[in-house]
Amino acid sequence: MKTLEWKSIGQALSIVLKAAVLILFIFPFLWMISTSLQTLRETMAFPPTWIPASPQWGNFVEAMNAGPFLTYFKNSVVVTGSIIILQFLVMIPAAYAFAKYKFPGKTVLFGMILLAFMIPGQVTFIPVYLMMAEWGLVKTLLPQIIPFVSNAFGIFLLRQYFMQIPEEIIEAARLDNASEFNIMRKIMIPMSGPALATIALFSFVSHWNDYFWPLVMTDSAAVRPLTLGIAMLRETEGISNWHIIMAGNVMLVVPILLVYLFCSKHIVKAFVYSGIK
Amino acid sequence: MKSKWFTLLSIMVLFSLLAACGSGGTANTGNTGSAGESPGNGTAEAPSGGEGVTTVQFWHSLGGKNGEYMDALIQRFNESHEDIEVVGTFQGSYDETVTKLQQAIASGTGPDVSMLERAYVQMFADAEVLEDLAPYLEQSGISADDFTPGLMGHSYFNDKLVSLPLNRSTPILHVNKTLLDELGLSVPTTWEEMKEVANALVVKEGNEFKRYGVSMPYDTWYPIAMISQAGGSFFNEDNTSIGFADNGAGEKVFSYLKDLQSTGALYYPPAQDSGNIVNSMFVEGKVGMIFQSTGSIGGLASTVDFDYVTAFLPKDEVYANPTGGANVTMLSSSKNKDAAWEFIRWMEMEEEGGLEFILQSGYLPFTKQMVESEQMQELWAKEPNRKVAYDQLEFAVDTNKDVAWPEIMHEFFSAIEAIMYDSKDIPSTLDTFKKETERILAQ
C-alpha cells in the first residue's frame, strides 16, 4: 500500500516537473504567436499584453508584402533541400567506409572530419567567400550550399550507428554477391532510419534557420533566404514593429514544425536505441 | 593512446591554420590583381540590364518602413533614368554592412555606392577605399555649403570629401508634456532643471518605483552628448587621448547621472534591447522624459496617447549634441563612377530623391534647399517636434572622430557598464579608460 502511494506521488511529481519544463520551452513560442497578432501599441504595453484584444491577421499580410517573400521562401527551400540531399549522398558512403572498412590513414582521415566538425563558420567565412567570389558564384545559391555538402557531425553520428550493425549481416550479403552499393541501400540505410531522420532534421533546422552564413555570402535579394527577409523587417533606428517581425517569424517556423511532426517518432527512437547500447 | 590522439589533433589544427592563412594570403593577392582587371564581372552584369544600361550596386542598412521608403526612392530613380539601373540591397544592420563591405572590398565584389554609418567613415577613408567626391560636386555645380552644416562633421577625411549626409539623426529629449503639466513642471533646459523635474516625476510605492523621471538607452551617444555639454570633448584636440578627464567633464557627467540614478530620477535600462525598453516605458508613462534618437519621433507620435513634445537636450555649460545615422559614399573600386555619382547627386539634390525620403522617414533634412522647401516647412508646421530636431543641429558637434573609434567605443561601453551598472568608482574607471584609449590611439 505504502509503496503504491509513493509511486503515485512520484508520478505526480514527474508530471509537474514535465509540465514545468514544457511551459519553459513553449512560453517564448506562445509569446511569439501572441505578439504576431497584436497591434504596435499592444506590443509596447507594460505589463505585456498576453492576449490581443482583436487578432491582427493583417500583420501576416504586411510581413509578406514587405519584400519578395516568395523568392526568399523558394531560396530557403532550394538551399535547405539541396544541402540535405547532397549531404546524404556524401555522408552514407563515408560513414559506411569509416564504420566497416579497414584502410590506411583511416584514423587520420576520421580525425580530420572531427576537426571540421569543431571549426565554426565564423572562422572560415572570409576565405570561403573569397574563393566563391573568385569562381564568380556570389550571385548564385551555390555559396550557401557547397560548403555544407559534407556534414561532419552527420558522418560521425552515422558511423557510430553503422558500427552497431552486426558484421555478420554484411558478410552474409557479400556471400550472396551483393554489391557494396546494394549493401548500403538495402541493409545500412533501412537499419539506420532513426539516425538518418535525426541527422536530416538537425541539418534542416540549422540550415533553415541559418542567418550568419547567408548574410555574409549573399549580396542581393534574389538569392537570399527567408531568415534575411525577416531580419529586414527590423528598423535600423526608431521603433521596431515587433508585431510584424513576429508574424514573419511565425511563418519561418511553421515548416520546421511540420517537419518535426513527421520526424519526431524516428528521432525519439534514435535516442532510445543509442541509449540502450 | 590518448596522447597520440592529442598530438595528431594538434598537428592537424596547426596545419589547417597554416593552410587557412596561406589561402587567405594568396586569395588576397590574387584579388588585388583581379580587382583592377576584373571588369569581367562588371561587363558581364552591365549588358544583362539591356543595351547601354549601366548597373549601379547600392548597399544600405535600412529595414522595416524606412527600407520601404528607400526602395521607393530607388524605384523613382530608375524610372527617371533610362540608362542607369540602381540595384539597392539591404545588408543588415550598420555593423553588419561594415563587415560585408570589408570582405567584399577585399574580394573585389564591392558595390559602387554604399551607405556607411557615420562613425565608420574615418576607418574606410583611412584604408583609401572611398572616392573623393569633391571633383564630382564641382562638376555638377554643387557647393559643400549647400549641405546642412551640422551634418557635415563626418564628411571630410584628410581634406577629401569622402561622404555626404543621408539618413541622419541626432539625440533629442522626448517629453511627456501631459505628465509635466499635471505636476506644474516646465520642460527642462538645463541640467539643474532636469534634476528637479526628474526627481519631481518619481513615484515610489514602498520599495518599488512606479515611475521614473528620465531614461536613456544604453549607448555611448548620450554620455558623449553630455560630455560636450559639460565643456569637454570625447577626444582631445590632437587625438592622442580623451578630452574629458583632466577638465573634469567626465567626472561631472557620470556623477550627475549616478546622483539621478540613486533617487530613481534616472532609470538606466539593462543593456540588451535598451532602446525598445526605454521607448515602451515612455509610451506607458513609466518614465516622464527620455533621451532618444530623432528617428523615434514618428513611431512615438503614432503610439502615445498623451501630449508629446520634443526639446533640446538640456545644457550644462553649453547646448551640445552629437549626430548619428549614416552617410552615403562612393567606392574607389567602382567601375561605373559617373553613373554612381548621378545616383548620389540625384538622391542628395533632387526633390523627388532625398526630400521625399526625408519627409517620409523623418530623418533630418541634409541640404539647405530641403530645409527651405515648401513641403518641409509644411511638415514642420504640422509636426513642430521634427523642427526642434533640426533646430538643435545648430549645436551639433562630433568629437569622437578617429580611425580607432570602433575599437575605443567598446572600451567606452565597458566604462559605462562599470559605472552605471556596477557603481564602480568614477575617477578610477575613467582613468583606466583614458589609459586604454591612449594605448589604442598610439598604435
Side-chain angles (χ1 to χ4, degrees):
Chain A
M1 198 54 197
K2 258 228 163 109
T3 48
L4 220 146
E5 256 171 46
W6 274 115
K7 230 183 200 171
S8 57
I9 289 174
Q11 258 169 359
L13 208 67
S14 105
I15 289 170
V16 168
L17 277 176
K18 278 178 196 160
V21 172
L22 183 73
I23 288 167
L24 200 68
F25 276 86
I26 211 168
F27 174 72
F29 197 80
L30 292 179
W31 198 348
M32 171 182 76
I33 293 172
S34 164
T35 306
S36 76
L37 296 170
Q38 294 176 5
T39 60
L40 176 62
R41 188 70 170 73
E42 283 173 320
T43 64
M44 294 183 81
F46 188 88
T49 318
W50 299 114
I51 295 163
S54 70
Q56 306 288 317
W57 299 104
N59 292 348
F60 289 87
V61 180
E62 203 173 315
M64 280 179 86
N65 287 337
F69 243 74
L70 278 180
T71 311
Y72 294 146
F73 188 78
K74 190 200 80 199
N75 290 340
S76 278
V77 171
V78 171
V79 167
T80 316
S82 325
I83 287 176
I84 292 177
I85 293 168
L86 292 171
Q87 275 185 354
F88 274 62
L89 290 179
V90 173
M91 191 171 62
I92 295 168
Y96 179 51
F98 280 122
K100 297 294 177 196
Y101 276 80
K102 286 195 177 69
F103 52 91
K106 181 175 161 182
T107 30
V108 175
L109 286 174
F110 192 64
M112 282 171 78
I113 284 173
L114 288 182
L115 202 67
F117 178 29
M118 293 170 213
I119 297 177
Q122 280 77 355
V123 176
T124 57
F125 80 96
I126 291 199
V128 171
Y129 180 83
L130 294 174
M131 197 163 75
M132 296 291 171
E134 223 165 289
W135 295 343
L137 296 179
V138 172
K139 302 223 175 301
T140 67
L141 292 173
L142 291 172
Q144 295 173 66
I145 299 172
I146 297 175
F148 302 105
V149 165
S150 161
N151 175 354
F153 168 70
I155 295 175
F156 173 75
L157 195 76
L158 202 58
R159 169 183 167 271
Q160 303 304 104
Y161 217 86
F162 280 174
M163 278 162 67
Q164 295 168 353
I165 295 173
E167 206 72 43
E168 292 79 6
I169 300 178
I170 298 169
E171 290 298 321
R174 284 196 182 126
L175 283 178
D176 287 339
N177 272 337
S179 66
E180 294 301 299
F181 178 74
N182 272 336
I183 294 176
M184 276 192 276
R185 194 167 66 99
K186 297 207 168 132
I187 299 173
M188 305 311 275
I189 295 178
M191 289 185 78
S192 50
L196 291 171
T198 311
I199 294 165
L201 186 87
F202 278 173
S203 191
F204 174 77
V205 171
S206 71
H207 292 291
W208 184 266
N209 283 342
D210 199 4
Y211 175 75
F212 175 76
W213 195 264
L215 176 74
V216 294
M217 286 297 149
T218 59
D219 290 343
S220 63
V223 290
R224 289 189 158 171
L226 212 47
T227 41
L228 291 184
I230 285 158
M232 216 179 144
L233 298 171
R234 268 196 90 147
E235 293 286 344
T236 312
E237 275 176 279
I239 293 181
S240 281
N241 292 312
W242 287 112
H243 53 311
I244 309 292
I245 299 169
M246 287 306 153
N249 275 334
V250 169
M251 290 189 279
L252 180 72
V253 163
V254 164
I256 294 181
L257 290 183
L258 288 179
V259 171
Y260 186 77
L261 278 181
F262 285 111
C263 288
S264 61
K265 264 190 193 159
H266 291 290
I267 291 164
V268 173
K269 237 193 253 168
F271 282 109
V272 172
Y273 190 51
S274 48
I276 289 167
K277 278 273 161 175
Chain B
M1 196 55 193
K2 263 207 173 138
S3 68
K4 208 170 125 196
W5 255 107
F6 190 74
T7 18
L8 189 71
L9 271 178
S10 32
I11 287 170
M12 275 191 302
V13 169
L14 203 70
F15 264 104
S16 63
L17 280 179
L18 283 175
C21 296
S23 70
T26 47
N28 261 335
T29 49
N31 271 293
T32 39
S34 67
E37 60 184 89
S38 80
N41 258 346
T43 43
E45 279 159 44
S48 69
E51 325 78 57
V53 175
T54 316
T55 307
V56 171
Q57 298 289 339
F58 170 51
W59 287 7
H60 66 80
S61 317
L62 294 175
K65 278 273 168 276
N66 290 335
E68 287 173 30
Y69 301 144
M70 180 49 80
D71 286 343
L73 175 143
I74 293 167
Q75 205 182 338
R76 288 198 300 277
F77 177 86
N78 287 337
E79 278 163 10
S80 59
H81 291 74
E82 279 177 3
D83 51 342
I84 304 174
E85 200 202 348
V86 171
V87 179
T89 312
F90 169 76
Q91 299 293 6
S93 67
Y94 288 139
D95 293 346
E96 285 166 345
T97 305
V98 166
T99 312
K100 291 225 61 178
L101 275 175
Q102 287 172 320
Q103 102 191 33
I105 289 169
S107 63
T109 56
D112 302 290
V113 179
S114 182
M115 182 182 274
L116 202 53
E117 207 270 342
R118 40 103 218 178
Y120 290 106
V121 171
Q122 312 276 318
M123 191 174 89
F124 280 85
D126 186 54
E128 295 181 345
V129 296
L130 302 181
E131 185 80 3
D132 183 5
L133 297 173
Y136 294 92
L137 226 60
E138 199 178 331
Q139 174 195 317
S140 305
I142 304 166
S143 156
D145 297 334
D146 294 344
F147 296 91
T148 306
L151 297 179
M152 292 295 277
H154 289 276
S155 290
Y156 290 94
F157 184 80
N158 289 349
D159 294 328
K160 280 188 191 163
L161 181 66
V162 289
S163 72
L164 289 171
L166 182 57
N167 52 316
R168 298 298 297 273
S169 52
T170 153
I172 198 171
L173 186 68
H174 304 253
V175 182
N176 183 336
K177 190 79 172 25
T178 307
L179 267 186
L180 264 65
D181 286 346
E182 274 169 22
L183 299 166
L185 301 162
S186 51
V187 178
T189 57
T190 64
W191 284 19
E192 263 323 297
E193 291 173 22
M194 174 86 154
K195 189 175 165 182
E196 281 167 34
V197 173
N199 274 304
L201 282 165
V202 175
V203 176
K204 196 177 178 185
E205 280 172 21
N207 273 330
E208 200 188 346
F209 286 104
K210 290 284 179 197
R211 188 170 74 205
Y212 297 88
V214 62
S215 187
M216 60 181 71
Y218 162 75
D219 200 289
T220 58
W221 225 20
Y222 309 98
I224 289 176
M226 296 179 76
I227 285 167
S228 301
Q229 288 156 12
S233 69
F234 191 80
F235 288 126
N236 65 1
E237 256 172 45
D238 36 356
N239 276 26
T240 50
S241 178
I242 56 174
F244 57 90
D246 302 332
N247 53 21
E251 221 178 309
K252 194 171 176 188
V253 169
F254 284 107
S255 32
Y256 177 78
L257 289 175
K258 284 310 277 188
D259 179 32
L260 290 188
Q261 194 182 27
S262 68
T263 59
L266 169 73
Y267 173 71
Y268 203 77
Q272 189 69 33
D273 217 17
S274 65
N276 279 308
I277 294 171
V278 164
N279 287 341
S280 297
M281 290 182 63
F282 182 68
V283 169
E284 288 295 308
K286 304 270 181 215
V287 60
M289 303 174 287
I290 53 173
F291 282 37
Q292 175 63 289
S293 166
T294 50
S296 297
I297 294 178
L300 288 176
S302 65
T303 35
V304 297
D305 49 12
F306 48 77
D307 184 12
Y308 159 58
V309 298
T310 56
F312 287 7
L313 294 180
K315 68 173 182 177
D316 180 37
E317 288 176 17
V318 287
Y319 281 117
N321 58 277
T323 65
N327 280 1
V328 60
T329 59
M330 193 199 296
L331 281 97
S332 309
S333 58
S334 166
K335 282 160 213 86
N336 310 307
K337 286 187 182 130
D338 289 327
W341 168 248
E342 171 55 18
F343 175 58
I344 295 177
R345 186 201 64 78
W346 181 89
M347 183 158 64
E348 294 285 315
M349 309 308 293
E350 299 285 331
E351 244 183 48
E352 55 165 353
L355 178 59
E356 188 78 26
F357 171 75
I358 295 295
L359 289 169
Q360 290 171 326
S361 64
Y363 281 108
L364 294 166
F366 50 74
T367 64
K368 289 176 180 161
Q369 193 191 335
M370 268 182 195
V371 174
E372 286 153 14
S373 72
E374 230 171 86
Q375 296 98 311
M376 191 57 72
Q377 295 296 336
E378 246 170 59
L379 179 81
W380 282 351
K382 214 168 54 189
E383 292 181 52
N385 282 344
R386 289 200 199 280
K387 183 162 192 316
V388 176
Y390 173 77
D391 289 342
Q392 196 191 222
L393 280 180
E394 188 189 329
F395 307 104
V397 54
D398 285 301
T399 59
N400 59 331
K401 281 181 291 186
D402 192 273
V403 176
W405 162 250
E407 195 182 347
I408 290 167
M409 178 184 77
H410 290 292
E411 299 297 330
F412 192 43
F413 266 122
S414 311
I416 293 174
E417 279 168 28
I419 295 169
M420 297 312 293
Y421 296 141
D422 305 335
S423 296
K424 290 271 161 60
D425 180 54
I426 297 170
S428 66
T429 307
L430 292 181
D431 198 49
T432 313
F433 171 66
K434 182 186 165 193
K435 284 187 187 128
E436 198 54 25
T437 305
E438 284 169 359
R439 186 187 63 78
I440 295 169
L441 287 172
Q443 278 169 6

